[in-house]
Amino acid sequence: MEVIDVTTFEQLEVAYHIRYLVFVVEQGCPIQDEYDEYESVASHILIYENEQPIGTARWCVVEGVAKLERICVLVTHRQRGVGKFIVDALEERAKRRGIQQSKLHGQVQAEAFYHRLGYVTVSEPFVEDGIPHVLMVKEMH
């Protein structure tokens, strides 16, 4: 697998397409909620395998904390370590900027996955885009 830091509009369109397939088509999130005012301030990555895009995510810094967002993997490539690969890549980018804590809104159905990566649940479930989520944090050292 290869991580690509999105630097072109064409790459961003690929990331948006993956997000559309996962969040809008598969999970039924409203399309108007998928793309927001943070698109231009966040850093986006794409994950490629055999020269094919298979996953994406974005992250930004909020009050000194890395906020990991829009983490998704195409259904055909799940259960193969791609999600962990994405989270590791985002955390590594944050650490390079001197950031020592990350947070994310994890879907409740993925909570155990994030626990295995060292995240701790710090909220009660809440609904975001029609899907139950929890706030999760991790100290990165």
Side-chain angles (χ1 to χ4, degrees):
M1 284 184 281
E2 178 184 13
V3 181
I4 303 293
D5 290 295
V6 171
T7 59
T8 68
F9 180 75
E10 291 77 16
Q11 291 169 330
L12 189 59
E13 286 292 305
V14 172
Y16 286 168
H17 182 67
I18 293 171
R19 285 170 41 186
Y20 173 80
L21 292 174
V22 172
F23 295 125
V24 177
V25 175
E26 180 185 336
Q27 297 184 352
C29 296
I31 193 165
Q32 65 270 19
D33 294 342
E34 180 49 34
Y35 310 100
D36 60 26
E37 67 272 21
Y38 301 108
E39 300 297 344
S40 62
V41 297
S43 297
H44 300 258
I45 63 169
L46 281 166
I47 305 302
Y48 279 79
E49 184 176 69
N50 299 322
E51 300 181 18
Q52 295 298 312
I54 62 169
T56 189
R58 73 179 193 192
W59 75 284
C60 58
V61 180
V62 179
E63 298 175 353
V65 176
K67 185 164 190 246
L68 314 187
E69 302 177 314
R70 303 300 203 274
I71 299 165
C72 61
V73 176
L74 293 175
V75 68
T76 53
H77 289 78
R78 292 191 194 137
Q79 305 298 317
R80 296 178 33 213
V82 182
K84 179 184 184 319
F85 189 78
I86 290 172
V87 173
D88 288 347
L90 295 175
E91 290 175 357
E92 182 58 37
R93 282 154 176 73
K95 285 190 249 182
R96 276 191 245 144
R97 293 205 21 210
I99 298 167
Q100 297 186 10
Q101 186 181 59
S102 59
K103 68 179 181 177
L104 54 85
H105 292 174
Q107 292 184 8
V108 169
Q109 57 89 14
E111 192 173 0
F113 164 74
Y114 290 114
H115 284 163
R116 288 192 299 276
L117 300 182
Y119 284 81
V120 176
T121 303
V122 296
S123 78
E124 293 297 319
F126 57 92
V127 175
E128 189 171 75
D129 298 327
I131 298 172
H133 285 73
V134 288
L135 175 61
M136 306 183 81
V137 298
K138 179 179 179 179
E139 299 297 325
M140 303 183 299
H141 303 289

